Amino acid sequence: MKKIPSGEIKFVAGTDYDFTTPVVLSSRIEKLGGYDHCYTLDPGGKMYLSARVSVPEKKRSLQVYTNQPAIQLYTGNYLSTTLSPMEK
């Protein structure tokens, strides 16, 4: 599968790409081979919380606020996770 943006927007509700409720990311990474996906957002031009990642046992968390129309989730080699707001 080539990971070239096509402009197609797919709905992810109920799939392994659905993060509208909290999930243990590692439980899906192994199954899918990692993430390198762009998620469209609807910020309406306002800054809002668009992503949250936490590691409770390490007492660490990251929150991403953006007013951009998309966010990229990249899990790399399973040892790291990156969330990047994407500009128009």
Side-chain angles (χ1 to χ4, degrees):
M1 172 181 181
K2 294 182 182 180
K3 296 194 178 195
I4 299 171
S6 68
E8 179 183 7
I9 296 176
K10 294 184 178 183
F11 293 95
V12 297
T15 71
D16 287 328
Y17 302 95
D18 184 355
F19 293 102
T20 54
T21 57
V23 228
V24 176
L25 191 58
S26 62
S27 69
R28 294 181 178 174
I29 287 177
E30 195 168 315
K31 178 181 177 184
L32 299 174
Y35 286 91
D36 188 4
H37 295 81
C38 186
Y39 289 83
T40 57
L41 307 171
D42 186 15
K46 297 179 181 176
M47 191 71 72
Y48 79 106
L49 177 63
S50 60
R52 179 182 300 130
V53 178
S54 63
V55 184
E57 61 274 7
K58 300 270 187 183
K59 297 182 181 175
R60 294 183 184 161
S61 66
L62 168 72
Q63 295 181 355
V64 178
Y65 289 80
T66 187
N67 61 358
Q68 298 302 307
I71 192 164
Q72 185 78 19
L73 170 61
Y74 176 72
T75 57
N77 61 359
Y78 308 99
L79 300 176
S80 64
T81 299
T82 302
L83 293 166
S84 304
M86 308 296 287
E87 295 183 26
K88 291 181 183 177

